[in-house]
Amino acid sequence: MDENQKPPSAPAEDRPAAKEAAPPAPPVSADASAAETAPKPAPKPAPKPAAKAPAVMEATPWEGEIPAAAREAFGEGILRAATYREQDFFETGPETLVPLLTLLRDAFDYDYLVEETAVDYPKDEKRFELVYIVYSFSGNHRIRLKTRVAENEEIASAVPVYAAANWMEREIYDMFGVRFRGHPDLRRILMPDEWQGHPLRKDYGIIQQDQRWVRENLGIESGQ
Amino acid sequence: MAEATFLDSNELVINMGPQHPSTHGVLRVILKLDGEKVMGTDCVIGYLHRGVEKIGENRTYTQFAPYVDRMDYIAAVSNGLGYCLAVEKLLNAEAPPRAQVTRVILTELNRIASHLIWLGTHALDIGAITPLFYTLREREEILNIFEEYCGARLTTHAFRIGGLQYNLYDKFTEDVTSFCDRFSPRVDEYEALLTNNRIWVSRLRDVGVLSAADCKQYGVTGPVLRAAGVKWDIRKALPYSGYENYDFEVPVGTNADTYDRYLVRMEEMRQSVRIIRQAVANIPDGPILGKVPKVLKPPVGEVYVSIEAPKGELGYYIVSDGSTQPYRLRVRPPSFINLQALDKMVRGNLIADCVAIIGTIDIVLGEVDR
């Protein structure tokens, strides 16, 4: 099945070559110099990354009236406008996002906030990616908006633009610990109010629990 | 909530749920009352939180599929369809025609089953006990078809990524057709019991009005949105699974109240029967599982795919990092989003209407809390 995902650029003859390259490889970087001195199959790093499937999303640029209007209004605030699998999305700076939502709602009739959620990339400096999806009933089109914020960085709440954002932002706060500036009621929503930790962060283990909360509220030693 | 003050001597705060039969599960609503009038609400949810999205990040794409059935367990087939479509989109794969038609039949059967549960319990909340027995009787027939098809009744796991696991059993079309024949007149029977019933009408008319503009503001979808006069159904707007090939109407209401939502759902059941009849008549031959690898490793990317579940827009936002497990798997649950509008709908109504309004949103707490 790997073959299916290999981009067409990676020709089939890479395969046997990579196999030949494999046996000498195992004693890794320490022996790199040894491999250098050995005759041939060493200069073969190229096929490896190709076989590993592309590490970035293969999105194509998105041109049109809306990206043009957004660029005109926000300039550098719009980092990217692209399309992946026929789905259009923006990447913006954190301070551009809510103004862009307002623009989309008022000028282009994107009157329905479908979804707001977050993705955690703990290795990145700006670890949280916030994802908004808006839909226009009149245009029958969805747009995804994404922005990055660092831990402890606040972002403006979308509640003034779409009332629907209220619980979704509460859930993001609950699960990721992202704080929204100007949110009317930023409390936990699914987890208990006194719970410590934000479960959907990548560094929160799958069976990890707030043992103190479990002891105090459930009267058992451990939740596991 | 902001305007409600605890010092006002006229104000009474009462607690409804989580163990309350009319909250349809473990929903707790804190009601602030002035006499019998509701001045504000606060929903306390999460009692059924199982961390489905976290589980999703720790299972492979295939392993996670049965878990989605446990969210909206009343409409497990719809959940499965949404999930399979999302992963297929990520893989750039498509189910073969025979699988797509089968999916439509099962999903529409499940829509009817879900609406039947809604109708029975909603009527029970209002004080009409009889419809529950009838609706459960019909639902039983649907569950029998599911059981015959895949061995399970509620958490069916009926679909696989790329198609289906099981081919249709021999008498499938017969069973489904005879169900349709029997079911159509029964919808009329329910309507005979309720539609012009004076108690029913006076309990529902003009109760819990949510205008089209408010629906959009709050992101409310499904029958609640359609009862407000917005003719929007994802099966029509952004068709999936070949819904563009079927001839059916999207019923809408005019008054945006609880009574219109009832009428919309009743008509939706009839339309589902219509779709099922068309689909059953044209089940193509051919493979039931498309060309998908045994080990799924979608390319790096992200997609959002949604379907028209019985309760509204059910969406899956999946981020792939190229490995066998989703990097992030977000479910956009219709019940959760629709429940958010409860406060808006209840405010100013009587406390007894609160029960009717919770019923009319049609929530499943397994999906609200995930």
Side-chain angles (χ1 to χ4, degrees):
Chain A
M1 60 293 161
D2 264 320
E3 284 89 324
N4 288 343
Q5 279 138 32
K6 234 188 336 182
S9 62
E13 55 266 30
D14 281 355
R15 266 285 146 127
K19 271 221 174 100
E20 280 162 32
V28 230
S29 50
D31 285 32
S33 55
E36 218 85 54
T37 52
K40 235 354 4 153
K44 260 284 161 192
K48 263 284 146 110
K52 268 212 152 178
V56 288
M57 187 161 70
E58 292 177 318
T60 51
W62 171 34
E63 307 289 347
E65 191 192 352
I66 293 170
R71 284 220 166 82
E72 195 189 314
F74 303 109
E76 294 298 297
I78 306 292
L79 304 176
R80 188 183 184 199
T83 303
Y84 180 72
R85 294 262 195 274
E86 304 98 47
Q87 299 182 348
D88 301 324
F89 64 92
F90 279 116
E91 281 173 16
T92 75
E95 292 314 315
T96 312
L97 202 121
V98 171
L100 177 58
L101 283 175
T102 316
L103 175 83
L104 289 173
R105 186 194 64 180
D106 295 341
F108 296 99
D109 207 17
Y110 283 80
D111 44 0
Y112 162 33
L113 178 73
V114 181
E115 168 76 303
E116 179 175 347
T117 188
V119 187
D120 182 17
Y121 296 94
K123 293 198 185 92
D124 298 0
E125 188 207 338
K126 292 196 162 222
R127 70 182 281 186
F128 298 114
E129 183 177 75
L130 294 172
V131 182
Y132 302 67
I133 299 171
V134 288
Y135 176 79
S136 159
F137 285 99
S138 55
N140 192 22
H141 183 242
R142 273 194 207 111
I143 298 177
R144 190 155 65 227
L145 296 88
K146 304 193 293 180
T147 191
R148 288 292 191 103
V149 294
E151 191 160 6
N152 302 323
E153 184 183 347
E154 287 198 343
I155 182 165
S157 166
V159 177
V161 194
Y162 301 102
N166 189 332
W167 281 20
M168 295 192 248
E169 287 181 356
R170 280 179 66 186
E171 190 179 344
I172 296 171
Y173 165 67
D174 192 357
M175 294 294 154
F176 293 91
V178 177
R179 304 192 70 92
F180 294 89
R181 191 172 59 243
H183 189 285
D185 185 26
L186 197 63
R187 291 176 290 147
R188 284 184 181 270
I189 187 162
L190 293 177
M191 304 302 288
D193 289 341
E194 313 81 19
W195 195 267
Q196 298 295 315
H198 300 284
L200 275 178
R201 288 187 175 194
K202 285 286 177 186
D203 45 22
Y204 196 98
I206 177 113
I207 57 165
Q208 186 178 340
Q209 293 189 347
D210 180 356
Q211 298 297 354
R212 198 169 65 100
W213 189 92
V214 170
R215 263 200 312 278
E216 285 173 8
N217 291 279
L218 305 181
I220 52 176
E221 262 317 295
S222 159
Q224 271 122 41
Chain B
M1 297 305 294
E3 64 265 38
T5 58
F6 288 85
L7 294 173
D8 188 343
S9 60
N10 289 326
E11 193 174 271
L12 180 68
V13 178
I14 67 158
N15 188 50
M16 184 171 162
Q19 282 89 17
H20 187 290
S22 315
T23 57
H24 296 240
V26 280
L27 168 67
R28 178 176 165 213
V29 188
I30 300 167
L31 296 161
K32 300 204 161 59
L33 306 173
D34 180 3
E36 278 206 64
K37 213 161 152 200
V38 180
M39 307 306 286
T41 66
D42 187 12
C43 288
V44 181
I45 57 174
Y47 292 97
L48 222 53
H49 179 62
R50 292 147 294 173
V52 167
E53 293 173 11
K54 187 80 177 176
I55 294 171
E57 291 174 10
N58 289 276
R59 294 284 178 278
T60 67
Y61 289 92
T62 322
Q63 281 175 333
F64 184 66
Y67 286 86
V68 298
D69 292 353
R70 274 101 183 140
M71 291 187 297
D72 181 357
Y73 40 79
I74 305 293
V77 180
S78 293
N79 290 340
L81 178 65
Y83 177 70
C84 289
L85 288 173
V87 179
E88 284 161 16
K89 177 106 179 159
L90 205 52
L91 289 164
N92 220 354
E94 200 173 44
R98 185 176 171 85
Q100 293 207 8
V101 174
T102 311
R103 283 176 173 188
V104 167
I105 298 170
L106 293 174
T107 313
E108 291 305 319
L109 282 173
N110 204 172
R111 186 184 312 278
I112 294 174
S114 170
H115 281 4
L116 285 173
I117 282 278
W118 160 81
L119 177 65
T121 54
H122 188 40
L124 191 66
D125 290 344
I126 307 294
I129 297 173
T130 321
L132 181 69
F133 302 119
Y134 293 153
T135 57
L136 288 188
R137 177 187 66 190
E138 269 73 84
R139 176 172 174 266
E140 185 70 14
E141 296 182 21
I142 296 175
L143 298 190
N144 285 341
I145 294 174
F146 289 164
E147 188 176 14
E148 194 79 13
Y149 170 66
C150 63
R153 295 160 61 83
L154 280 178
T155 49
T156 47
H157 192 202
F159 307 142
R160 296 296 183 272
I161 295 158
L164 310 167
Q165 166 138 31
Y166 310 110
N167 218 328
L168 296 174
Y169 63 91
D170 292 342
K171 281 175 63 196
F172 180 81
T173 44
E174 233 169 276
D175 282 359
V176 173
T177 315
S178 77
F179 168 76
C180 289
D181 293 342
R182 267 171 292 135
F183 182 69
S184 294
R186 283 179 185 171
V187 182
D188 301 333
E189 277 177 32
Y190 310 146
E191 286 230 46
L193 280 173
L194 295 170
T195 304
N196 294 315
N197 182 314
R198 277 184 66 180
I199 303 169
W200 182 253
V201 175
S202 55
R203 282 298 306 275
L204 301 190
R205 261 248 190 274
D206 300 323
V207 167
V209 175
L210 194 68
S211 69
D214 284 337
C215 283
K216 291 174 183 175
Q217 251 306 303
Y218 283 91
V220 172
T221 46
V224 183
L225 176 69
R226 287 190 283 275
V230 181
K231 200 169 182 141
W232 189 74
D233 186 313
I234 301 176
R235 291 175 293 173
K236 288 276 191 200
L238 304 158
Y240 52 88
S241 254
Y243 268 107
E244 64 274 19
N245 305 327
Y246 302 101
D247 188 21
F248 66 102
E249 296 295 321
V250 177
V252 290
T254 46
N255 299 323
D257 61 1
T258 302
Y259 187 71
D260 275 20
R261 285 173 213 133
Y262 154 75
L263 292 179
V264 163
R265 289 198 177 95
M266 297 307 275
E267 187 55 31
E268 277 185 22
M269 289 199 273
R270 294 201 179 90
Q271 295 300 329
S272 289
V273 171
R274 216 172 133 191
I275 297 171
I276 294 167
R277 282 187 192 281
Q278 294 168 46
V280 165
N282 296 299
I283 303 178
D285 288 328
I288 53 166
L289 194 60
K291 279 202 167 58
V292 288
K294 279 264 177 339
V295 178
L296 300 176
K297 273 186 168 180
V300 176
E302 59 200 25
V303 291
Y304 175 80
V305 174
S306 68
I307 64 159
E308 185 72 34
K311 290 158 186 75
E313 173 166 0
L314 170 71
Y316 289 87
Y317 175 68
I318 307 182
V319 180
S320 163
D321 60 354
S323 71
T324 55
Q325 299 175 339
Y327 187 77
R328 170 89 171 96
L329 195 150
R330 157 75 178 168
V331 186
R332 189 246 185 233
S335 295
F336 177 80
I337 312 274
N338 292 358
L339 183 60
Q340 191 175 183
L342 177 72
D343 184 65
K344 178 88 184 162
M345 292 158 91
V346 166
R347 233 169 242 253
N349 279 294
L350 299 177
I351 182 169
D353 295 335
C354 187
V355 168
I357 294 170
I358 293 173
T360 193
I361 306 176
D362 191 16
I363 50 166
V364 165
L365 269 299
E367 184 178 71
V368 173
D369 297 342
R370 282 156 290 139

